[in-house]
Amino acid sequence: MIVSFMIETGKANGIDPLKYLAYLPEHRPDADIKKTLENILWIFKGFIKSLTLLVINAC
């Protein structure tokens, strides 16, 4: 059902359905999700480290 919807969407936009189906996985929004999550984790770790030092110095 989903594939037929994607094919019809491609046709409606004047795109070759096979090219459209090949394009989608390569350009999905979450293609770089692993790198994005790694960056968020790195920032969060830095925040926690800074917060820990702040609390230690305040005591």
Side-chain angles (χ1 to χ4, degrees), residues 22-34:
Y23 171 88
L24 288 175
E26 297 170 3
H27 297 89
R28 66 190 188 277
D30 64 340
D32 295 322
I33 192 72
K34 180 180 178 186

Side-chain angles (χ1 to χ4, degrees), residues 48-59:
I48 294 298
K49 188 178 285 186
S50 297
L51 187 60
T52 303
L53 291 174
L54 183 65
V55 169
I56 289 171
N57 290 331
C59 293

